Structures are given as structure tokens and as C-alpha cells.
Amino acid sequence: MIKVTVVILALLTPCLALAAPGELFHDSGRKETQTQQLASADLALSKGLGLTSADFPGNDDVDADPDDFELKLPEMELPESDIPLTFNSKVEYFTRYFQGSGRGFFAKWLSRSERYIPMMKTVLKKEGLPEDLVYLAMIESGFIPHAVSVASAVGPWQFMPATGKRYALRIDPWIDERRDPLKATVAAALYLKELYALFNNDWYLAAAGYNAGENKILRAINMYNTRDFWEISKGSYLARETKDYVPKLLAAAIIAKEPAKFGFADVAYLPPIEFDQVPVPSRTDLDVMAKACGVPLQNIKELNPELRRATTPPDYPGYQLKVPKGAGATCAAEYAKIPESERYVERVRNVQYRAKKRDTLASIARRFNTSQQTIAELNNIGKKKVKLAGRVLTIPVQVASARGEAHPAAEAKVEPKAEAKAETRTATQVAKAEAELQEFHKYYTVKKGDTLASLAKRFNVTARLLSAWNNLKTRVALKPGKRIIVAKYQEKKGALVKDEG
């Protein structure tokens, strides 16, 4: 009987397709009747064959209300999980998306996942939380410690500055513990535990609150008079990002728990992160620690992404530096032999700079011989474009060390102008000197092909001013290797002012 129905429909389809427009659609009532008849036949055929809408190609091309979905159990068996898994059209959409156009980045998420999931699950379990909440970090950042959102959220769990500090994450020019996978996971666990209790033990509302903020979800609950996330997400109050957050989390968990089932059998997983921790009582350069541990400097940096500079932070006596697994005892023993005066060399100082009308992160980074990312992180600037004009920015500037040593990678550095020795001055003279402007010079080492004109354009000054600062003739050839002044700054009580000559 089923075969007969298929043959009849197959024979009728060409006839309907070749009918004249007037014959098929002249009468709207007739059109509606025909449509209903075809839909009924199609539905009967689908039921007879045991098919669902997901089995028909081109289903994604149908225009439908994205919030009009049905909660139906899937025919496939969902993986075991300690968070409730639901499969509906919203979750199905993201499983298809991660398998389709989003396959490339989801494969990278999976690859990085095994590096952090074991450690994160240990933290979550210790806090009495479901271990599968690790997939929240997957959709937040793809397990990238240095991830930064357009809203300036940072780290694998994407904490905003205020929320990070609320859970004891230190954020300053030296360190940003939102990027520490271990400490950020502890903070995320504490936050999620609070959200879970706030929303009467509902993980969907807790996850939505993690994304939009608890107050936003509480207002939505009051507005729609329901605690059902799926019902709330059908309304217009929540942003699309929040409506998609829970189904995206569920889709990621479903795929990540059974990747081969969804076409990700060939993913090359990174090895789990493993480390020892060594207490560092005073500010110490990472290259000093690397030598003490007998490992490459890059290994230390990768294990400690929270460090904004190549040094441990000052005023952090309890800081625990992560070192490769098995190197902890050796590193601690060798570190103890290093005199405190040799543990750190002053290489960078922070200065304040007021951005001008045409300044960009790129131009400021070039001017101060640093990176755009460093400036953005120090000033909590996300990926979203912001107006810099008039904004006072904190800029790290390379300086000479107290022992006359310079950062090996530094091309330019800021050096204080020489002063008379303090012991030869009276208290009044000292106070007066401290109130006066201090002058700092930025130096540049000339390379082959450099000219006054090219350097003037590069450092946004005039060739005449460069000549005056360096006692040069305007037409003189610059000798490679010569250090010249390319900028002058004056500082008074922490305010940095550029000397325009």
C-alpha cells in the first residue's frame, strides 16, 4: 500500500508542476484546499514511512519563527550527563550548525577541550557542581585563556572585571587572573553555585543568568510569570544571545560527549595540562624561573597566561607560579639559591597617555613600542571599536634597569633625566625637585635605510624636531646602530605629557 501511495504522488507531482498558474492559483480557496490536501498526503506518507521533518533535505530553508519550537524527545538516545539534556528544534539547530558551517571552530574547541576539561571537572566536583558545566566554558571561549569579548569579558569563563573581582580574581597591570584556567574555574564554580540557588535549582535559568546577569533573568521571570526557560525565551525581552545560550550549551555538550557520532572522530586532542606550583615570595622575572626549572621560557608563559608581563606580580607574596609537572622541587631549590636582588630587573614602567583625535590602538602601540593587545588588556578595551580621543590610557614603556641592563627585545626605552644625589640636597630642595617635571626620552636604534623623514613620519614628529633633539643636520645620513631620541615626555605627579618641542 505504501509503495502504491509513493507511485501515485510521484506521478501527480509533474502534472501539478506543469499546470498553468491560472489553473492552480486563480482561486485562493482552491489553492488553500489543494495545499491542505497535499500536506495531509505528505503527513500520511511520512508517518507510514516512519520519517520526521529532520529527514527531509532543505528543512533549514523554511522561514519560521526562531522562537516557535516544540519540546519533543528525540528519536536518538542522548548521552548520559549530570546536567539535564533537552533536545528540541533549537538544540537541533545548533547541533547541525556545529556540524556544518561551524565545524571548523568546533573541532578546535574539541581539540583544546581535553587540555582543560580534566582540571576543570576536578574543581567543579570539589565544589559539589555538575562536571558537565565545563561545556559552558566551551561556548564562552572555546577554552582560550586569552579570549576577549567585545564587551571586554576575559578568559576561559569570560568574566567581566567587576564579576571577576567579586570572586577574588586579581586584575591589575601586572596580572589578570580571569585568564588563569584554574583560578577562573574556581570563581566560575562559586558564581554558578550562587546562580543555581537563586533560580531554585534550575540549571537552564542559572546558565542564562551567567550570560545575561541574574537581574535580567529575574525580571524576565516576573514579566512572563514563569520559571520555564523555554517559555521565557519565546518572548521578546531577552536578547537573542541569551535565548540561544542554553540550546548552544546543550548542543555543545551532546556533541562533545559523543564526538564520533556527530562526525568528529578525527579530532587531534591536546594533552591535559599538568603542572606543579612553586611559591614565589617576591617579584621575579619569568626567564629567571625558567632557568631555575631548566625549561624553556615559553613553557612557563603558557602555564601562566594570567601574567601580563614576563614577571610575577609585585605585592603578591602568596603567588604560586605554575611550572611543568615534575619540575617543582628542582625549581624551588634552585630559586632559593638566587639572591632577591637578582630575581627581578626593572624593564617596564606604566605611563599615562591622553589619546589624540587621530590616535588608534595600532598607532599608539607603534609609538610606545608595545602591542595593541597589551594596551587593550591594560585598559579593558574589548574587540568592539571605541573612541580613544581624550581617553587617558595606561601604557607599558620599556625602560633601562637599575643596573643599566635593557630588555633584550627592546628597541626603544624611556630613561629618567639625571638628577643630583639626594644626600647633597636640603629637604626643601628635595620637595621642590619632586614637584618639578621629570623628563623622559624615548630612544630608537637606527636601522639600514632609515631617514629623518621616515622616522619623523613613523613617530609622528617633525624632521626638524628630531634634528634639534639629536643635534643633527637635517640632511645628514643616519648611521645604522646609532641611538637617537624620537620622543620626549614630561611627568608630574603621575601625569604624562608629551613634549611637542
Side-chain angles (χ1 to χ4, degrees):
M1 181 62 187
I2 293 174
K3 291 183 178 179
V4 172
T5 306
V6 173
V7 172
I8 292 172
L9 286 175
L11 291 173
L12 285 175
T13 302
C15 298
L16 292 172
L18 294 173
E23 294 175 341
L24 282 177
F25 306 114
H26 180 68
D27 180 34
S28 59
R30 181 183 172 191
K31 173 187 174 184
E32 185 177 28
T33 302
Q34 289 176 337
T35 302
Q36 291 174 348
Q37 290 173 344
L38 288 173
S40 298
D42 193 27
L43 180 60
L45 177 61
S46 299
K47 289 181 177 178
L49 296 176
L51 301 176
T52 67
S53 61
D55 296 306
F56 290 96
N59 190 53
D60 291 339
D61 297 330
V62 178
D63 291 328
D65 182 352
D67 295 324
D68 184 18
F69 53 89
E70 294 185 15
L71 302 177
K72 292 185 178 179
L73 291 176
E75 295 180 3
M76 70 173 184
E77 185 178 349
L78 293 176
E80 291 185 6
S81 175
D82 52 9
I83 59 174
L85 296 182
T86 300
F87 197 84
N88 54 38
S89 61
K90 296 276 284 187
V91 179
E92 181 187 31
Y93 169 81
F94 281 106
T95 57
R96 289 189 174 192
Y97 173 70
F98 291 145
Q99 291 174 275
S101 57
R103 178 183 176 82
F105 64 77
F106 195 83
K108 292 179 181 178
W109 292 1
L110 286 174
S111 177
R112 282 191 294 268
S113 67
E114 282 304 304
R115 182 162 177 78
Y116 299 104
I117 278 182
M119 179 266 291
M120 289 180 172
K121 281 189 173 183
T122 300
V123 172
L124 293 171
K125 184 178 181 179
K126 184 179 179 181
E127 294 295 333
L129 295 175
E131 295 179 19
D132 286 341
L133 287 174
V134 291
Y135 300 113
L136 191 148
M138 173 179 270
I139 65 169
E140 282 283 355
S141 67
F143 296 110
I144 301 175
H146 291 272
V148 181
S149 76
V150 294
S152 300
V154 170
W157 292 91
Q158 290 290 280
F159 276 106
M160 295 294 288
T163 312
K165 291 177 180 178
R166 173 176 156 190
Y167 292 97
L169 296 179
R170 178 167 164 173
I171 305 169
D172 59 36
W174 295 89
I175 188 172
D176 188 341
E177 291 183 332
R178 293 176 294 174
R179 302 190 314 195
D180 184 327
L182 177 58
K183 292 176 182 176
T185 302
V186 173
L190 296 176
Y191 187 26
L192 287 166
K193 190 182 294 186
E194 286 188 12
L195 290 170
Y196 186 58
L198 178 65
F199 293 113
N200 294 340
N201 300 345
D202 187 313
W203 278 121
Y204 293 173
L205 293 177
Y210 190 96
N211 175 257
E214 54 265 41
N215 291 330
K216 183 81 171 179
I217 304 304
L218 288 172
R219 286 194 292 269
I221 290 172
N222 291 331
M223 180 178 294
Y224 297 110
N225 194 28
T226 178
R227 286 184 169 272
D228 187 328
F229 168 78
W230 303 108
E231 289 299 318
I232 292 173
S233 64
K234 288 181 179 180
S236 59
Y237 178 65
L238 295 182
R240 171 60 54 194
E241 177 190 347
T242 305
K243 292 180 181 182
D244 291 345
Y245 193 78
V246 171
K248 191 186 295 183
L249 168 63
L250 298 176
I254 289 169
I255 297 176
K257 292 177 78 67
E258 297 180 321
K261 184 176 179 179
F262 294 89
F264 291 95
D266 57 345
V267 173
Y269 290 91
L270 296 176
I273 187 172
E274 294 182 313
F275 52 83
D276 293 336
Q277 291 185 299
V278 177
V280 181
S282 62
R283 185 165 49 174
T284 303
D285 286 328
L286 295 189
D287 58 355
V288 171
M289 294 302 300
K291 291 175 183 176
C293 296
V295 299
L297 173 60
Q298 189 59 30
N299 289 15
I300 302 294
K301 287 184 175 181
E302 288 176 356
L303 288 172
N304 298 274
E306 71 275 14
L307 297 178
R308 286 176 148 170
R309 306 181 187 177
T311 174
T312 62
D315 306 319
Y316 200 143
Y319 182 73
Q320 298 279 333
L321 185 74
K322 293 182 284 295
V323 301
K325 187 75 173 177
T330 301
C331 190
E334 292 300 315
Y335 177 73
K337 299 176 184 178
I338 303 172
E340 186 171 347
S341 61
E342 296 180 10
R343 294 174 180 173
Y344 175 75
V345 175
E346 186 69 51
R347 293 181 172 121
V348 177
R349 66 173 296 168
N350 281 346
V351 297
Q352 303 298 310
Y353 173 74
R354 187 179 296 278
K356 295 181 173 58
K357 186 176 181 180
R358 296 185 179 181
D359 277 340
T360 64
L361 281 180
S363 66
I364 295 172
R366 284 196 302 271
R367 181 177 302 173
F368 289 96
N369 195 35
T370 185
S371 69
Q372 296 182 55
Q373 181 181 350
T374 300
I375 297 174
E377 289 182 356
L378 281 178
N379 296 277
N380 291 319
I381 299 174
K383 293 181 180 179
K384 189 176 181 180
K385 288 186 178 180
V386 295
K387 292 182 66 176
L388 297 178
R391 183 169 177 171
V392 177
L393 302 173
T394 300
I395 312 291
V397 179
Q398 302 279 357
V399 298
S401 71
R403 290 170 289 177
E405 300 172 1
H407 192 289
E411 241 181 27
K413 50 184 175 287
V414 176
E415 299 174 337
K417 194 174 183 180
E419 296 180 356
K421 292 183 179 180
E423 59 267 22
T424 64
R425 297 177 289 178
T426 64
T428 302
Q429 288 173 324
V430 170
K432 183 178 179 181
E434 289 176 346
E436 291 177 351
L437 291 173
Q438 283 186 298
E439 186 172 270
F440 298 88
H441 296 167
K442 179 178 178 181
Y443 288 89
Y444 171 81
T445 302
V446 175
K447 294 185 175 63
K448 186 176 180 180
D450 283 338
T451 64
L452 277 177
S454 66
L455 294 180
K457 183 176 181 180
R458 176 174 176 179
F459 294 100
N460 198 26
V461 295
T462 64
R464 181 174 295 181
L465 200 53
L466 283 180
S467 301
W469 285 342
N470 296 279
N471 296 318
L472 300 172
K473 295 180 180 180
T474 54
R475 295 184 180 181
V476 70
L478 296 178
K479 185 177 180 181
K482 179 179 177 63
R483 291 174 69 250
I484 64 172
I485 298 171
V486 292
K488 286 188 178 183
Y489 302 90
Q490 292 179 324
E491 188 178 49
K492 182 178 182 180
K493 295 181 180 179
L496 189 73
V497 181
K498 185 176 180 181
D499 182 1
E500 302 288 358

